[in-house]
Amino acid sequence: MATTNKIKHKKTPLFNPLFTVRRKRPQEVVPVILETGASEDYGLIDSGHKRKLERYGSYLLIRPEGQAMWQPNLDHSVWKKADAIFTGNPDKQGMGRWDFPHSIPHETWPLFWKKLPFLGRFTSFRHVGVFPEQDAHWRFIEDLIQQATQPVRVLNLFGYTGLASLVAARAGAEEVTHVDASRRAISWAQENQKTANLLDKPIRWICEDAMKFVMREEKRGKSYDLILLDPPTYGRGPRGEIWDFFDSLPKMIMSCQALLSSTPLSVIVTAYSIRISFYAIHELMCDAFTGFGGKIESGELILREEKAKRALSTSLFSRWII
């Protein structure tokens, strides 16, 4: 819920023990499981044998899923109906190709989230431009913005193809700043804005290293009410800047803390494909927001199968809410 109460706490270094022993930690809620089930345009049909069978719009896709160590629930005949199957390439880590057992007219196709249209696309990294488990975050930020009693400025770091940015803009954000180091991702996000008929919405698309951007914004005295971070485990910026999750995230969260307005709403961190407990991110967020009030919710994002109802964990998250 939005608030107009001013934060009066002086911002201090992230790891200053002189302050962390005196200031009160935020209320803590752990573990929190945020679940995404079937919708009109997405469904986790089945999983097992380190693969998952998913429905994206009218297409059935099979992709690798290392955590699906169990047996598939559905008969093999169901899996044979897949329109696209991702096959990894051992010569290029993380990359591969798509096989199409049945004829697909286009490798780009329309998808929807709560009547918000965007584009799905087959990529060499097995992704299709959307992470459906983010539904929980999208609903959360949509509610925050719509219920806010103030204009809301949103910063979306590592924004990828822009779904969160479009959700925020459609919900009524005063301004959305979308940052990603990939020009291809920015181009895709702009296509999604056009597809969603949201060209009149105030979205800034910025292709830049996220760390450099937030440090420059801090020097300029810029501020935001809602900040989203979806960082990779490892990545490079447009000019060769290196992002390493364990080395870079603490500094990034500290910088984001410094960018918060006097009437903030939330900071949300999501982490994919990383071998740590959500408690590690939780404690990092607690350190960053000690003395700021509010609460920290941390846990996992999961997908729920349509038939067997088994849970497939996809990522870790932590979010500070005033």
Side-chain angles (χ1 to χ4, degrees):
M1 179 67 69
T3 178
T4 57
N5 294 331
K6 300 286 185 179
I7 288 186
K8 300 180 180 179
H9 308 281
K10 183 180 178 180
K11 294 178 181 178
T12 56
L14 186 58
F15 297 116
N16 189 334
L18 296 179
F19 288 94
T20 55
V21 296
R22 296 176 183 174
R23 298 180 300 159
K24 185 177 180 182
R25 284 164 64 94
Q27 177 188 350
E28 300 175 56
V29 184
V30 290
V32 175
I33 305 300
L34 299 181
E35 177 179 323
T36 296
S39 64
E40 184 177 350
D41 258 41
Y42 177 78
L44 178 58
I45 307 300
D46 196 15
S47 61
H49 290 166
K50 295 186 178 182
R51 299 193 304 171
K52 56 186 175 183
L53 176 64
E54 301 168 287
R55 172 175 51 82
Y56 281 91
S58 59
Y59 295 155
L60 292 180
L61 278 56
I62 294 176
R63 296 189 291 166
E65 179 50 66
Q67 294 195 81
M69 299 179 288
W70 44 83
Q71 297 288 326
N73 180 64
L74 300 179
D75 188 79
H76 182 63
S77 61
V78 178
W79 288 71
K80 288 184 67 175
K81 296 178 181 178
D83 300 290
I85 303 171
F86 185 85
T87 304
N89 185 342
D91 296 327
K92 293 185 178 181
Q93 186 176 2
M95 299 182 68
R97 70 174 190 274
W98 289 91
D99 295 326
F100 304 103
H102 315 293
S103 176
I104 293 183
H106 301 288
E107 291 192 13
T108 297
W109 73 102
L111 293 168
F112 293 85
W113 180 82
K114 292 183 66 174
K115 298 183 179 181
L116 177 71
F118 61 96
L119 299 175
R121 182 171 294 147
F122 298 108
T123 74
S124 61
F125 292 95
R126 80 180 178 181
H127 304 306
V128 295
V130 59
F131 294 88
E133 62 274 12
Q134 290 278 339
D135 169 89
H137 288 333
W138 297 334
R139 292 177 184 273
F140 176 74
I141 65 175
E142 183 179 61
D143 288 345
L144 275 183
I145 294 169
Q146 290 178 345
Q147 296 174 21
T149 58
Q150 66 192 60
V152 178
R153 289 167 51 86
V154 178
L155 175 59
N156 186 13
L157 299 169
F158 311 98
Y160 193 39
T161 57
L163 269 295
S165 297
L166 297 179
V167 169
R170 188 179 70 167
E174 179 184 57
E175 181 181 274
V176 178
T177 300
H178 175 109
V179 182
D180 198 281
S182 167
R183 294 189 183 280
R184 182 175 296 181
I186 292 290
S187 177
W188 192 342
Q190 291 173 319
E191 284 186 75
N192 282 337
Q193 183 183 20
K194 182 178 180 180
T195 300
N197 295 315
L198 295 177
L199 290 176
D200 61 328
K201 298 299 182 182
I203 305 176
R204 291 195 299 157
W205 304 105
I206 298 176
C207 183
E208 189 172 351
D209 176 72
M211 183 69 78
K212 280 189 174 180
F213 177 81
V214 297
M215 293 179 69
R216 189 175 68 249
E217 290 289 272
E218 184 179 353
K219 290 180 180 179
R220 291 176 174 177
K222 300 292 186 179
S223 65
Y224 298 88
D225 309 293
L226 174 59
I227 301 178
L228 314 173
L229 299 93
D230 191 0
T233 304
Y234 181 86
R236 288 188 178 273
R239 294 175 176 82
E241 303 92 343
I242 295 176
W243 169 272
D244 178 270
F245 186 90
F246 292 98
D247 292 338
S248 305
L249 186 62
K251 184 178 180 180
M252 174 64 81
I253 290 178
M254 181 174 64
S255 295
C256 287
Q257 178 223 67
L259 286 179
L260 286 173
S261 72
S262 59
T263 55
L265 298 177
S266 184
V267 176
I268 304 171
V269 181
T270 309
Y272 285 86
S273 302
I274 193 157
R275 296 180 181 275
I276 60 171
S277 165
F278 67 82
Y279 273 106
I281 304 174
H282 176 77
E283 291 299 342
L284 181 61
M285 291 285 282
C286 283
D287 275 349
F289 293 99
T290 290
F292 278 69
K295 66 178 179 180
I296 305 283
E297 295 181 343
S298 305
E300 300 188 17
L301 301 182
I302 69 165
L303 296 170
R304 184 73 67 178
E305 287 182 353
E306 288 186 346
K307 298 292 184 180
K309 302 301 181 184
R310 293 178 299 195
L312 179 62
S313 177
T314 65
S315 55
L316 314 177
F317 83 93
S318 184
R319 61 190 185 190
W320 172 74
I321 311 164
I322 189 64

